[in-house]
């Protein structure tokens, strides 16, 4: 028996309440932008500056033990990560400890570093401190700028790709959906003041790719149906296309969410922010591919003369979905 989350032959009218969906998106975008302007983001060490201490010990790294040793020092945001490398010896256990820059200082002071080393040495007697590196506010500012450029370039590349593959109306619809997803993701991190670091930038780029894949699947079906139903109104063709791909969209999103929720519960603190961003991104990406991208396409209209054969038909690009 095949598992189906959505029955075949659905006939939902996705555009009968389009004002509600776009109104909801507009409200969430305004809340996200407002929160960002009023309280900003809770930047992690990557963006605020701080010091990284690399340790080695013969006994396995116990992140809980390390954290218990450092918590009484009240140094603010501390990130502890175990480092894995196939070239390490069996008794070479490496950890990276990142400590945020203290209030009014560009980096963690030598006195604070010595206090950290003393606390860790008391907890792990054979621990060695291999290196200590500091990241100042200037480098952190450059990281923020580079991260923003990376996201903008990714969305720009999507715009060009969709434009070449379909038409400019499809490209604007897809990019509007991607910008919608990125703003809502940044907005919820600002609203909930969840730590925002380089891992979240990686999550944003992953969300862009996931949402784009969903949107392209729908647009591919729209293009096929524009050839198939030449006399039907565009809204009806869009509804048919979304209904025909709805089962695939829901199944992909649900199975992805099941894996992500498991990671969120069992994966630990190190990846929790990244996984939260992915969970939120999958939800809003699925929503935007159905309600935002297609509605923008409906507004802009699209060429209906699809009588000419597909230029890619019969070649290696014929059935490329994304």
């Amino acid at each position: 028996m095949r598992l189906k989350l959505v029955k075949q032959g659905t006939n939902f009218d996705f555009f009968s309440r389009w004002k509600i969906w776009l109104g909801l998106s507009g409200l969430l975008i305004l809340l996200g932008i407002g929160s960002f302007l009023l309280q900003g983001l809770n930047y992690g060490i990557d963006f605020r500056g701080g010091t990284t201490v690399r340790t080695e010990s013969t006994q396995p790294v116990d992140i809980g033990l390390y954290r218990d040793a450092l918590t009484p020092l009240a140094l603010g945001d501390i990130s502890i990560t175990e480092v894995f490398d196939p070239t390490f010896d069996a008794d070479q256990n490496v950890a990276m400890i990142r400590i945020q820059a203290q209030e009014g200082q560009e980096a963690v002071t030598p006195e604070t570093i010595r206090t950290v080393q003393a606390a860790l040495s008391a907890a792990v007697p054979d621990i060695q401190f291999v290196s200590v590196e500091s990241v100042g506010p200037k480098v952190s500012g450059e990281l923020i700028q580079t991260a923003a450029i990376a996201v903008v370039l990714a969305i720009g590349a999507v715009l060009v790709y969709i434009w070449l593959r379909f038409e400019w109306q499809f490209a604007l619809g897809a990019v509007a959906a991607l910008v919608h997803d990125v703003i809502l993701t940044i907005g919820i991190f600002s609203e909930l003041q969840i730590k925002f670091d380089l891992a979240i930038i990686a999550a944003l780029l992953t969300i862009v790719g996931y949402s784009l894949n969903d949107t392209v699947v729908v647009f591919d079906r729209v293009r096929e149906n524009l050839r198939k139903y030449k006399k039907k109104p565009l809204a009806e063709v869009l509804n048919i296309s979304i209904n025909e791909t709805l089962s695939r969209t829901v199944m992909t999103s649900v199975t992805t969410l099941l894996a992500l929720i498991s990671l969120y519960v069992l994966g630990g603190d190190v990846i929790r922010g990244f996984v939260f961003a992915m969970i939120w991104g999958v939800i809003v990406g699925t929503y935007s591919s159905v309600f935002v991208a297609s509605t923008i396409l409906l507004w802009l209209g699209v060429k209906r003369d699809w009588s000419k054969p597909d230029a890619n038909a019969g070649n290696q690009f014929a059935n490329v979905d994304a």
Side-chain angles (χ1 to χ4, degrees), residues 207-282:
I207 291 167
V208 167
Y210 181 90
S211 178
L212 174 65
N213 183 58
D214 252 6
T215 304
V216 168
V217 168
V218 174
F219 281 178
D220 255 338
R221 188 58 59 90
V222 171
R223 184 170 57 176
E224 292 172 10
N225 285 333
L226 284 172
R227 291 193 182 92
K228 186 176 180 181
Y229 305 109
K230 298 176 183 176
K231 302 298 182 183
K232 289 184 183 293
L234 180 57
E236 193 172 342
V237 174
L238 288 171
N239 265 323
I240 293 171
S241 305
I242 296 172
N243 276 290
E244 288 178 349
T245 56
L246 189 61
S247 178
R248 176 263 176 206
T249 300
V250 173
M251 180 64 81
T252 303
S253 298
V254 169
T255 51
T256 306
L257 284 174
L258 286 175
L260 289 172
I261 291 171
S262 300
L263 279 175
Y264 185 83
V265 175
L266 304 172
D269 290 336
V270 175
I271 62 170
R272 191 154 287 157
F274 174 84
V275 176
F276 175 81
M278 286 299 303
I279 291 174
W280 176 257
V282 169

Side-chain angles (χ1 to χ4, degrees), residues 42-271:
N42 177 20
Y43 290 114
I45 295 172
D46 299 333
F47 295 135
R48 282 191 298 182
T51 295
T52 300
V53 180
R54 180 183 172 109
T55 69
E56 282 190 20
S57 64
T58 56
Q59 69 182 70
V61 174
D62 184 340
I63 292 178
L65 180 63
Y66 284 36
R67 190 171 294 282
D68 289 343
L70 298 178
T71 299
L73 303 180
L75 297 176
D77 187 13
I78 296 178
S79 172
I80 304 171
T81 309
E82 185 174 4
V83 180
F84 296 97
D85 192 307
T87 62
F88 287 169
D89 297 330
D91 61 347
Q92 188 179 13
N93 300 291
V94 179
M96 298 291 290
I97 301 169
R98 293 186 292 177
I99 307 165
Q100 73 170 49
Q102 304 301 294
E103 192 69 26
Q105 300 175 353
E106 290 193 356
V108 179
T109 63
E111 292 76 17
T112 303
I113 296 297
R114 284 194 287 272
T115 305
V116 169
Q117 292 174 339
L120 290 173
S121 296
V124 185
D126 70 333
I127 195 168
Q128 296 179 354
F129 301 97
V130 180
S131 65
V132 178
E133 298 176 350
S134 295
V135 178
K138 183 179 179 181
V139 176
S140 302
E142 291 175 355
L143 281 175
I144 295 174
Q145 186 178 8
T146 304
I149 291 173
V151 175
V152 171
L153 288 178
I155 294 177
V158 168
L159 176 68
V160 174
Y161 166 71
I162 299 294
W163 196 330
L164 293 176
R165 182 172 167 77
F166 297 94
E167 290 187 357
W168 66 270
Q169 297 94 334
F170 289 88
L172 289 184
V175 167
L178 297 184
V179 172
H180 168 276
D181 299 344
V182 170
I183 291 177
L184 290 193
T185 303
I186 293 175
I188 196 167
F189 270 77
S190 173
E191 186 65 34
L192 301 179
Q193 287 294 291
I194 301 172
K195 188 170 65 178
F196 192 91
D197 53 23
L198 284 177
I200 309 306
I201 298 298
L204 283 176
L205 295 174
T206 309
I207 291 167
V208 167
Y210 181 90
S211 178
L212 174 65
N213 183 58
D214 252 6
T215 304
V216 168
V217 168
V218 174
F219 281 178
D220 255 338
R221 188 58 59 90
V222 171
R223 184 170 57 176
E224 292 172 10
N225 285 333
L226 284 172
R227 291 193 182 92
K228 186 176 180 181
Y229 305 109
K230 298 176 183 176
K231 302 298 182 183
K232 289 184 183 293
L234 180 57
E236 193 172 342
V237 174
L238 288 171
N239 265 323
I240 293 171
S241 305
I242 296 172
N243 276 290
E244 288 178 349
T245 56
L246 189 61
S247 178
R248 176 263 176 206
T249 300
V250 173
M251 180 64 81
T252 303
S253 298
V254 169
T255 51
T256 306
L257 284 174
L258 286 175
L260 289 172
I261 291 171
S262 300
L263 279 175
Y264 185 83
V265 175
L266 304 172
D269 290 336
V270 175
I271 62 170

